[in-house]
Amino acid sequence: MIGTPNNGRLRLAFSLVNGSQDLGPDSTPVSHAGSECGAIEFTREDVEALVSEKMKSKNKFNYKERCENMMEYIKRLRLCIRWFQELEGEYAFEQEKLRSALELTERRCYEMEMALKNKDEEMNLIILELRNSLASLQEQLVKVESEKKAAMDSLVKEKEARDSIERSKASLSEELDKVRAELDSANQRIASINDMYKLLQEYNSSLQIYNSKLQTDVTAAHETIKRGEKERLAAVENLHNLRGEHKSLQDQLTSSIASQDGVMKQKDALLNEVACLRMELHQIKDDRDQYQQQAQSLAVEASKYKELVTNSSGLEEKCLSQGNQIQILHDQLAVAERKLQMSDTFALEKRKEFEGQKEIIEELHKCLEDAEFKLIEGEKLRKKLHNTILELKGNIRVFCRVRPQLADDSSSNHGKVFSYPTVMEYLDRSIDMTHNGQKHSFIFDKVFMPDVSQEEVFVEISQLVQSALDGYKVCIFAYGQTGSGKTYTMMGKPGQPDEKGLIPRSLEQIFQTIQALQHQGWRYEMQVSMLEIYNETIRDLLSTNRDSSRFENGVTGKQYMIKHDANGNTQVSDLTIVDVQSSREVSFLLDRAAQSRSVGRTQMNEQSSRSHFVFTMRITGVNESTEQQVQGVLNLIDLAGSERLSKSGSTGDRLKETQAINKSLSSLADVIFALAKKEDHVPFRNSKLTYLLQPCLGGDSKTLMFVNLSPEPSSAGESLCSLRFAARVNACEIGTPRRQLNIRTSNSRLSYG
């Protein structure tokens, strides 16, 4: 790569490269620090001259000189080659920088495209909401117009009635005029027709009476209308005034009245003090008059008795002091009057403040009513949007969870089995697995890494649990091999509140939500049942007589039958159903069922579930204000773990249990494959598990599967099978979820959805 020198580099004369030292007087040697070639650059002409240069020597047989020239030439060639290598390295570095900048720019462009896409979706949702609000406003407008039209019709009818009355009045006045004209003509002939005059006079008086009666009726009708309007306004005002006043209003009113009473007491005290001061003033005035009289008498006596001059001067001083006391009392009276005026002003301000507080409380009460109305409307909208979102996400959703590495896990085969791509599009939704040197990628609705807590897992399914309260059938089941953490996901660790599983957290959310919905008029009834499928046999975990459910010579005491009705509901005959009213009652039943559940020890797990555990809660809700009724079903299922006989080392009863578990899980896989291929026949009856879950897998239920994985390299084969099965489940399409709004009869008992 030969070309022009780069900017910022110092290009030396080629004579320096060739070994000559003809530098200028002001030139300095070039620094070669950091590079063997220093700051030297070559042009195309320099390279061509170096390549075409011929060896010159005075004596062609002087091999030593020729060898030195050749070595010098080779040295300059090496210098040129090194310069080319450094230049090529710089170009490669620049190319790598440009490539990384290009990748960064492409990534930013992709992120911007995704952001724009998300914004577009948000705008579409906003447009849809605006259209819905426009439709509702149009409906309200039509309703208002219809009401306005009805009011106009009533007004027109009232005007027509008034017009008819006016017309009858006008006709009566015309008749009265005619009668008066006839009366005038009859007066001219009064002498000859006295009898007829009397008759006409009586007729005229009767008409006047009838006219006055009509006028009084019209006046009474107007007064009745005005009185009805006043009564209506008074009723509306009383309705607004008597609407539930808030407790804070009463407290503030009481405090304001108490403060006003205190001010009035202070005012009364000041008035009493002023009255006392006035009485003292009058007393002092009387004393002063008396003293003046005494002074006058003493002055008269002083003219007679000069020896009493000193006493009179003392009395004058006493009078002067009494005058000073009177002035002081005047000042005190003025101060008391100012205090009284200030107390009156303070009382007036307190009264105004009380009125203002009363208005503020009324406004707050109105705002509270508006907020409660908006809260109810928002709750309705939230339920509608929540169910729409879940329906758009798909009926059968799949979450993947990898349990963390445990202390007793085998540490023989070190290696990272799972990895989690960080691409923005598939963040927290994809998982990669490496098995036998081959990489397998899977995408699900949600992927939980080992460090995710139980609370974070429950947050993702909390809305699905809410659907059961809204009247939908909901099914959540955990799938995976033995020791992958299914029971921990569903139940958690006993005695550790921070590690509670999905079932206890779901119950807490349900009862908290029920308590919060009580002020909206909702009342709920809940029924709970728990069973296990052990060796293809249903066992009631809440039965009071546990011996009747256990094996006796290969036959159980009760034969539980699974039945489906036309509405997609499932019932298990003779199953114990318990009415519950609190999460504490359900927790007690869960502990009781856990003690009755079949567990055993294998080489893969100390406490391995040897049966499929099914927890079912039926929720019936009635809104007393709207008379709306909903029926929801929540199924939470902990499946037994799949395992290989070679790894579990099962023998005897454990061998039979393992074979039954693998058979039922294989039937579940057959059902999923048939649903994925949309075959006409789906083998639900191949096992009790699939037949029990038929409405959840092929009906109108909202279904979620947790696929649990073990991070051990020795379990990679089973984990790969679980991931492939979960991918098939995620691809299944079943019916659209349907909200249950049936009226609950007195014989209605718990059924499975």
Side-chain angles (χ1 to χ4, degrees):
M1 298 173 63
I2 304 172
T4 59
N6 294 335
N7 294 332
R9 284 182 176 270
L10 179 62
R11 182 182 181 277
L12 299 181
F14 195 68
S15 57
L16 179 62
V17 181
N18 291 332
S20 60
Q21 301 294 330
D22 51 351
L23 295 173
D26 298 331
S27 62
T28 57
V30 181
S31 174
H32 293 259
S35 173
E36 296 181 0
C37 301
I40 302 174
E41 287 195 359
F42 295 87
T43 63
R44 181 184 294 272
E45 293 81 5
D46 296 338
V47 176
E48 289 178 353
L50 182 61
V51 172
S52 61
E53 182 180 354
K54 294 181 180 180
M55 297 294 101
K56 296 180 181 180
S57 63
K58 297 179 180 178
N59 187 0
K60 64 180 179 179
F61 297 105
N62 190 353
Y63 293 104
K64 183 178 181 180
E65 183 182 359
R66 292 180 65 183
C67 184
E68 291 177 354
N69 293 335
M70 185 62 70
M71 290 296 292
E72 185 67 25
Y73 181 69
I74 291 170
K75 184 178 180 182
R76 285 185 276 118
L77 282 176
R78 286 179 177 173
L79 187 63
C80 183
I81 290 170
R82 290 194 189 96
W83 179 78
F84 272 110
Q85 290 176 348
E86 291 182 358
L87 186 62
E88 185 178 3
E90 291 177 358
Y91 283 157
F93 178 72
E94 291 292 333
Q95 186 178 7
E96 186 66 27
K97 273 181 69 176
L98 291 174
R99 187 181 290 110
S100 62
L102 179 61
E103 292 177 355
L104 181 61
T105 305
E106 290 178 350
R107 191 180 299 111
R108 288 179 179 174
C109 289
Y110 177 74
E111 292 176 356
M112 290 178 66
E113 289 178 358
M114 292 302 297
L116 289 175
K117 185 177 179 181
N118 293 333
K119 287 292 184 182
D120 192 12
E121 293 178 355
E122 291 178 0
M123 291 302 294
N124 290 332
L125 290 175
I126 292 172
I127 291 171
L128 182 60
E129 291 178 357
L130 290 176
R131 288 178 178 173
N132 293 333
S133 62
L134 178 61
S136 63
L137 289 175
Q138 288 178 348
E139 292 177 357
Q140 294 178 3
L141 180 61
V142 171
K143 185 177 179 181
V144 170
E145 287 181 351
S146 63
E147 293 177 354
K148 183 179 179 181
K149 185 177 179 181
M152 290 297 293
D153 293 338
S154 62
L155 183 62
V156 169
K157 290 180 181 179
E158 186 177 356
K159 286 184 178 179
E160 289 177 354
R162 289 181 180 178
D163 292 338
S164 63
I165 292 172
E166 291 292 336
R167 286 195 298 269
S168 63
K169 184 178 179 181
S171 62
L172 289 174
S173 60
E174 290 177 357
E175 291 178 1
L176 182 60
D177 294 336
K178 290 180 181 179
V179 171
R180 285 177 178 175
E182 291 177 358
L183 182 61
D184 293 337
S185 63
N187 286 329
Q188 297 176 0
R189 298 174 294 170
I190 192 170
S192 60
I193 51 173
N194 287 325
D195 297 333
M196 187 177 290
Y197 173 76
K198 292 179 180 180
L199 293 174
L200 290 174
Q201 196 173 18
E202 291 175 358
Y203 182 68
N204 186 17
S205 61
S206 64
L207 287 178
Q208 288 179 353
I209 292 170
Y210 182 69
N211 187 16
S212 61
K213 184 179 181 181
L214 287 177
Q215 289 180 353
T216 55
D217 291 341
V218 171
T219 305
H222 281 293
E223 290 178 354
T224 303
I225 292 172
K226 291 180 180 179
R227 194 183 309 112
E229 187 67 19
K230 290 180 180 179
E231 290 177 354
R232 186 182 67 83
L233 294 175
V236 171
E237 186 176 358
N238 291 330
L239 181 62
H240 283 290
N241 292 331
L242 296 176
R243 187 170 291 170
E245 296 192 7
H246 203 270
K247 186 177 180 180
S248 61
L249 173 63
Q250 295 178 354
D251 297 336
Q252 293 184 6
L253 184 62
T254 305
S255 63
S256 299
I257 292 173
S259 63
Q260 187 175 3
D261 292 337
V263 172
M264 294 301 294
K265 289 179 180 179
Q266 186 177 3
K267 179 181 177 180
D268 295 335
L270 291 174
L271 288 174
N272 293 330
E273 185 179 358
V274 170
C276 293
L277 291 175
R278 286 178 178 173
M279 291 176 65
E280 291 179 1
L281 179 63
H282 286 300
Q283 184 67 30
I284 291 170
K285 285 182 178 180
D286 294 336
D287 294 338
R288 185 194 63 181
D289 296 334
Q290 186 178 359
Y291 289 144
Q292 286 178 355
Q293 291 177 2
Q294 291 178 0
Q296 291 176 359
S297 61
L298 289 173
V300 172
E301 291 179 358
S303 61
K304 296 180 180 179
Y305 305 101
K306 293 182 180 179
E307 64 274 7
L308 298 178
V309 174
T310 55
N311 294 331
S312 63
S313 62
L315 290 175
E316 288 179 358
E317 291 178 357
K318 190 174 182 180
C319 288
L320 183 61
S321 64
Q322 292 291 333
N324 294 332
Q325 289 181 359
I326 291 170
Q327 185 64 34
I328 292 171
L329 291 176
H330 275 294
D331 296 338
Q332 291 180 354
L333 179 62
V335 170
E337 289 178 351
R338 285 197 296 271
K339 287 183 179 180
L340 180 62
Q341 187 178 3
M342 290 176 63
S343 64
D344 292 338
T345 307
F346 181 73
L348 183 61
E349 291 178 354
K350 282 293 183 181
R351 184 175 294 277
K352 290 182 180 179
E353 184 179 356
F354 169 72
E355 296 294 334
Q357 291 290 336
K358 189 175 180 180
E359 292 178 358
I360 292 173
I361 290 171
E362 291 178 355
E363 292 178 358
L364 291 175
H365 190 257
K366 292 180 181 179
C367 293
L368 180 61
E369 292 179 352
D370 295 339
E372 289 178 351
F373 177 75
K374 291 179 181 178
L375 181 62
I376 295 173
E377 294 296 325
E379 181 67 18
K380 293 180 181 178
L381 181 61
R382 184 201 63 76
K383 290 182 178 180
K384 183 178 179 182
L385 294 177
H386 160 65
N387 293 317
T388 303
I389 289 171
L390 291 182
E391 291 173 6
L392 292 176
K393 286 183 177 179
N395 296 333
I396 297 185
R397 302 169 61 199
V398 176
F399 286 178
C400 176
R401 187 181 191 186
V402 182
R403 73 162 174 81
Q405 198 81 21
L406 302 178
D408 55 352
D409 286 344
S410 60
S411 57
S412 56
N413 297 326
H414 293 285
K416 194 174 182 180
V417 179
F418 300 106
S419 60
Y420 310 94
T422 58
V423 181
M424 185 61 64
E425 183 179 2
Y426 302 115
L427 186 63
D428 295 334
R429 293 183 58 238
S430 62
I431 183 172
D432 294 341
M433 178 181 178
T434 304
H435 180 55
N436 293 333
Q438 187 176 359
K439 185 177 180 181
H440 305 273
S441 299
F442 299 92
I443 299 175
F444 300 109
D445 295 284
K446 185 71 177 179
V447 174
F448 299 101
M449 290 185 284
D451 57 348
V452 175
S453 64
Q454 294 278 69
E455 183 178 1
E456 292 174 315
V457 173
F458 177 72
V459 169
E460 293 295 329
I461 70 155
S462 59
Q463 293 183 349
L464 197 61
V465 175
Q466 177 66 34
S467 296
L469 285 172
D470 296 340
Y472 288 89
K473 299 176 183 177
V474 177
C475 178
I476 302 174
F477 64 95
Y479 176 89
Q481 69 180 97
T482 299
S484 59
K486 301 182 301 301
T487 304
Y488 175 75
T489 297
M490 299 303 293
M491 298 297 298
K493 287 186 178 181
Q496 298 186 14
D498 294 338
E499 298 189 30
K500 289 184 293 187
L502 300 184
I503 295 179
R505 292 179 186 271
S506 300
L507 298 175
E508 290 178 358
Q509 176 183 335
I510 286 174
F511 284 102
Q512 289 175 1
T513 307
I514 287 173
Q515 188 175 5
L517 292 176
Q518 286 181 356
H519 72 280
Q520 297 183 12
W522 283 99
R523 297 293 179 268
Y524 287 89
E525 296 179 0
M526 285 149 290
Q527 300 170 349
V528 169
S529 73
M530 302 179 200
L531 61 85
E532 68 174 354
I533 301 176
Y534 176 77
N535 286 352
E536 285 300 305
T537 303
I538 295 178
R539 300 172 64 180
D540 187 0
L541 296 178
L542 298 182
S543 175
T544 55
N545 186 9
R546 290 294 300 151
D547 295 334
S548 63
S549 299
R550 295 189 180 277
F551 281 103
E552 295 178 358
N553 298 325
V555 180
T556 58
K558 288 185 179 181
Q559 295 294 328
Y560 299 97
M561 303 297 295
I562 302 173
K563 299 179 182 179
H564 303 295
D565 59 13
N567 295 326
N569 297 319
T570 303
Q571 293 182 351
V572 180
S573 62
D574 296 330
L575 191 66
T576 302
I577 299 172
V578 182
D579 294 327
V580 294
Q581 296 180 352
S582 66
S583 59
R584 182 177 298 178
E585 295 180 8
V586 184
S587 299
F588 173 76
L589 296 176
L590 283 172
D591 295 338
R592 177 175 157 190
Q595 295 176 0
S596 303
R597 189 179 177 188
S598 300
V599 295
R601 178 178 180 180
T602 66
Q603 294 181 3
M604 299 180 65
N605 195 358
E606 285 289 333
Q607 288 286 331
S608 176
S609 301
R610 313 308 295 166
S611 64
H612 306 299
F613 172 70
V614 180
F615 170 88
T616 302
M617 172 180 280
R618 180 173 180 178
I619 304 169
T620 303
V622 179
N623 194 316
E624 297 175 352
S625 59
T626 62
E627 297 183 356
Q628 185 181 9
Q629 299 182 354
V630 295
Q631 288 184 348
V633 180
L634 177 63
N635 293 317
L636 302 173
I637 303 170
D638 179 16
L639 298 179
S642 61
E643 58 187 36
R644 295 183 181 179
L645 294 175
S646 59
K647 294 185 63 178
S648 63
S650 301
T651 58
D653 292 339
R654 293 289 176 266
L655 177 60
K656 294 180 181 179
E657 293 169 356
T658 302
Q659 290 174 346
I661 291 170
N662 291 339
K663 180 182 177 182
S664 61
L665 294 178
S666 178
S667 300
L668 179 62
D670 294 338
V671 168
I672 294 298
F673 294 157
L675 290 173
K677 294 179 181 179
K678 297 183 179 180
E679 295 180 356
D680 296 334
H681 173 68
V682 181
F684 287 111
R685 292 179 177 270
N686 285 0
S687 72
K688 292 288 182 64
L689 176 64
T690 55
Y691 192 48
L692 184 66
L693 297 181
Q694 180 176 350
C696 303
L697 299 176
D700 54 1
S701 175
K702 294 183 179 181
T703 305
L704 169 66
M705 185 184 86
F706 266 95
V707 55
N708 296 83
L709 304 174
S710 173
E712 291 187 86
S714 59
S715 303
E718 288 291 330
S719 299
L720 183 59
C721 293
S722 299
L723 287 171
R724 287 173 175 169
F725 175 71
R728 286 290 188 95
V729 172
N730 205 15
C732 288
E733 295 179 2
I734 62 176
T736 304
R738 181 169 54 89
R739 196 178 185 188
Q740 301 292 325
L741 297 173
N742 298 330
I743 299 176
R744 181 173 181 263
T745 61
S746 59
N747 296 326
S748 176
R749 297 301 289 170
L750 187 142
S751 63
Y752 294 79

